[in-house]
Amino acid sequence: MLGGKGKNSIAEFIIFIIGSIANKHKMNRSIWNVYVFICVFCKIKRINIYLIFLDFVIDYFLNNNCQNLKGVFMDNLIVTGWGWKDYAIAAAIALRHYNKAHIIGMSTRKLPEFLNEVTDYKEIAILGVGLTGNTELLEKALIKLKKKNICVRWISSFDMPPCIPDTIRSNLDTFIGNGDGIAEAASQYFKRKYDDIAPLAEQKVAKNLQHYHDLLEAAMFVYRNYQDEKAYGQAIYHIARKDPETQWSDKMKQMVAHYHRFGNRELVGKSNLIMDLHG
């Protein structure tokens, strides 16, 4: 397959795969470029188009810890709110419980429509997102998910409003925390401590958590200004696992740098140009 025959060809193929995976997790780009050069021009006698395709596939499935995979390898979905850092901390707590999950930020208004289209998960945890949007569509979505044996949990620090119909209540696995905020409710439900990341919610963030604070603020900044929804979940992944900056992707580092430069210059207004920029 790689231009050689027999054991040599198989060995080169295995080396290429190992190197590809190592690149996505450990190697920096310059080392990877050298690796590809050696594989293609030294080890392999002729360039095979399948190698390029293989590397693309590996990159797609391993990039950013599968956060770009909308449910392909994920049984669990974490739906959390925007704006308050407490939402992100709650999602990080849930992620520590599930280990692997797709994470998405959601508003009360968009939740019913989103749930009505979801099909690829076994369990959905909704963290503090309100249920008072389109209740008729929400009811329809929850009934459909229940028929597909998809468990939907609603975790909150507040009781459901009286206006929520019984048909919605009966199709949700509900937990109401008795603490202060959604992060504490998530901690109680999943029985996970979060002392190490709780200070992120404070007004003045400790120096050892400042880079996570900036990462989270940058992720919310690019959502507000450019409708980039993926960055939020990726940032929460890094926070949940306490990844050092050296393990952040180049794209995430560039996003933080962009936030440092333009974070105090939000795109506001309702002109056609601003609307185009917002998507």
Side-chain angles (χ1 to χ4, degrees), residues 23-29 63-65 200 208-219 231 234-257 259-260:
N23 164 61
K24 312 310 170 189
H25 291 280
K26 301 294 182 182
M27 290 184 183
N28 60 38
R29 180 53 54 183
N63 185 41
N64 294 315
N65 302 294
L200 271 174
N208 66 320
L209 293 176
Q210 185 64 47
H211 55 305
Y212 294 124
H213 168 270
D214 291 353
L215 179 64
L216 189 55
E217 289 293 333
Q234 292 164 3
I236 292 170
Y237 251 81
H238 288 309
I239 291 169
R241 299 184 310 188
K242 298 295 291 290
D243 287 336
E245 292 176 84
T246 54
Q247 292 185 19
W248 299 0
S249 67
D250 290 341
K251 183 178 179 181
M252 297 299 279
K253 294 175 183 176
Q254 291 167 4
M255 179 186 73
V256 174
Y259 166 72
H260 285 159

Side-chain angles (χ1 to χ4, degrees), residues 89-100 182-198 240:
I89 295 171
I93 294 167
L95 181 59
R96 288 177 172 181
H97 168 76
Y98 291 118
N99 190 34
K100 290 184 178 181
I182 185 59
E184 182 61 26
S187 175
Q188 291 172 6
Y189 180 79
F190 293 113
K191 295 179 172 57
R192 294 273 176 168
K193 294 182 179 180
Y194 67 110
D195 297 349
D196 57 331
I197 57 175

Side-chain angles (χ1 to χ4, degrees), residues 12-177:
E12 289 169 4
F13 180 68
I14 293 173
I15 289 171
F16 185 86
I17 292 179
I18 292 173
S20 298
I21 295 173
N23 164 61
K24 312 310 170 189
H25 291 280
K26 301 294 182 182
M27 290 184 183
N28 60 38
R29 180 53 54 183
S30 60
I31 295 175
W32 170 245
N33 289 338
V34 172
Y35 175 81
V36 170
F37 179 87
I38 293 172
C39 276
V40 174
F41 293 100
C42 298
K43 293 288 184 182
I44 303 168
K45 295 178 181 178
R46 62 185 176 84
I47 298 176
N48 193 319
I49 190 64
Y50 293 116
L51 288 179
I52 300 173
F53 176 75
L54 175 63
D55 184 49
F56 171 80
V57 170
I58 292 173
D59 182 78
Y60 180 81
F61 280 96
L62 293 181
N63 185 41
N64 294 315
N65 302 294
C66 299
Q67 268 298 296
N68 289 329
L69 300 177
K70 195 170 184 179
V72 174
F73 281 152
M74 303 292 181
D75 288 335
N76 308 304
L77 171 65
I78 299 170
V79 179
T80 193
W82 293 102
W84 300 103
K85 287 184 285 186
D86 208 35
Y87 284 122
I89 295 171
I93 294 167
L95 181 59
R96 288 177 172 181
H97 168 76
Y98 291 118
N99 190 34
K100 290 184 178 181
H102 184 234
I103 303 170
I104 188 168
M106 187 65 55
S107 65
T108 297
R109 181 178 62 85
K110 292 183 178 180
L111 181 64
E113 182 180 356
F114 175 79
L115 290 179
N116 194 47
E117 297 175 355
V118 166
T119 58
D120 298 328
Y121 303 95
K122 293 181 179 178
E123 186 169 322
I124 301 173
I126 303 172
L127 307 177
V129 180
L131 304 174
T132 55
N134 185 337
T135 53
E136 289 184 8
L137 183 58
L138 180 60
E139 176 186 335
K140 175 185 174 183
L142 292 175
I143 291 173
K144 183 166 63 175
L145 290 170
K146 192 169 186 178
K147 288 180 179 179
K148 293 181 178 180
N149 294 318
I150 299 174
C151 177
V152 183
R153 308 185 189 282
W154 188 69
I155 301 167
S156 177
S157 55
F158 299 101
D159 288 326
M160 281 191 197
C163 62
I164 300 299
D166 291 339
T167 46
I168 289 179
R169 296 172 187 266
S170 62
N171 286 289
L172 285 171
D173 180 0
T174 302
F175 176 84
I176 308 299

